[in-house]
Amino acid sequence: MLKPIDVMLVGVGGQGTILATKVLARVAQDIGYDIKVSEIKGMAQRGGSVVTQVRLAPQVHSPLIPLGGADVILSFEKLEALRWLDYLKPDGTMIINDQAINPVPVLIGAATYPDNVLDYIKGKVQKTEVVNALDIAVKCGNARTANVVLLAVLAKHLPIDRQSWEQALTAVVPEKFIEVNRAAFNEGYTL
């Protein structure tokens, strides 16, 4: 019996949130889950929020995760983790990329990026894992694979074997980028 799992992937435009969602949906489908996905893209081309809600279960009736209902939030940016924190279950897991991307109000000087975002979240969420995915991706040869580093960290928290993840990655990522993405997945999975 497949255990129902609700995952939110949150980031900003250009971070690869949608690709990571496609890999997650593919691996879940391949092992027999019913899947519902909901995407919210707010001015994604201009650095706006990108949020996907992925629900996995033997049968899913709604694509939307209720407040306090996510088992895992995979955040590609620190402030986005804070923004969506209320969706995490009290015993849920928060995985955060240790990267700050200034939103438009900060860029135009109308606001400041909050201090101590990670400390605040760690104070609220016992199961918080912080990953410097960008540095790992650069070390692998392509900064754009930070999303796959984070996806691999998520993979360790879900009851899906590594081989299934690697097969889904191969199926979704364009062939010319597969080797660097495999390297990024390996680095993230072995953290």
Side-chain angles (χ1 to χ4, degrees), residues 1-177:
M1 182 73 166
L2 299 171
K3 176 186 168 204
I5 303 169
D6 291 335
V7 180
M8 291 184 69
L9 296 92
V10 301
V12 297
Q15 288 194 291
T17 309
I18 301 299
L19 179 74
T21 299
K22 288 179 181 176
V23 175
L24 171 58
R26 177 64 182 254
V27 71
Q29 182 181 26
D30 288 350
I31 64 169
Y33 273 108
D34 184 27
I35 307 153
K36 296 279 189 288
V37 176
S38 174
E39 295 177 3
I40 302 168
K41 300 178 218 171
M43 299 292 285
Q45 297 89 349
R46 296 179 185 258
S49 288
V50 176
V51 180
T52 61
Q53 299 184 17
V54 184
R55 304 192 82 187
L56 319 172
Q59 187 172 14
V60 180
H61 299 285
S62 169
L64 300 179
I65 299 171
L67 281 171
D71 296 289
V72 181
I73 295 179
L74 180 63
S75 181
F76 293 61
E77 198 275 343
K78 294 188 287 190
L79 196 53
E80 292 301 315
L82 183 60
R83 183 189 315 261
W84 298 98
L85 182 60
D86 289 343
Y87 277 84
L88 189 64
K89 284 182 176 176
D91 63 341
T93 300
M94 178 70 84
I95 302 166
I96 307 171
N97 183 19
D98 189 8
Q99 182 179 5
I101 298 175
N102 290 332
V104 171
V106 173
L107 291 174
I108 64 172
T112 58
Y113 196 97
D115 292 331
N116 304 319
V117 171
L118 293 177
D119 290 339
Y120 179 81
I121 293 171
K122 287 177 183 175
K124 297 280 186 186
V125 180
Q126 185 176 7
K127 293 187 246 176
T128 298
E129 186 170 354
V130 179
V131 179
N132 193 332
L134 183 58
D135 283 356
I136 294 168
V138 168
K139 190 174 83 176
C140 290
N142 188 332
R144 298 186 72 171
T145 61
N147 61 339
V148 174
V149 173
L150 292 167
L151 190 65
V153 176
L154 172 67
K156 296 187 308 181
H157 291 274
L158 300 183
I160 302 171
D161 66 86
R162 181 177 175 158
Q163 183 179 6
S164 296
W165 283 98
E166 291 172 347
Q167 289 171 351
L169 189 68
T170 300
V172 173
V173 172
E175 188 175 335
K176 65 182 179 180
F177 300 115

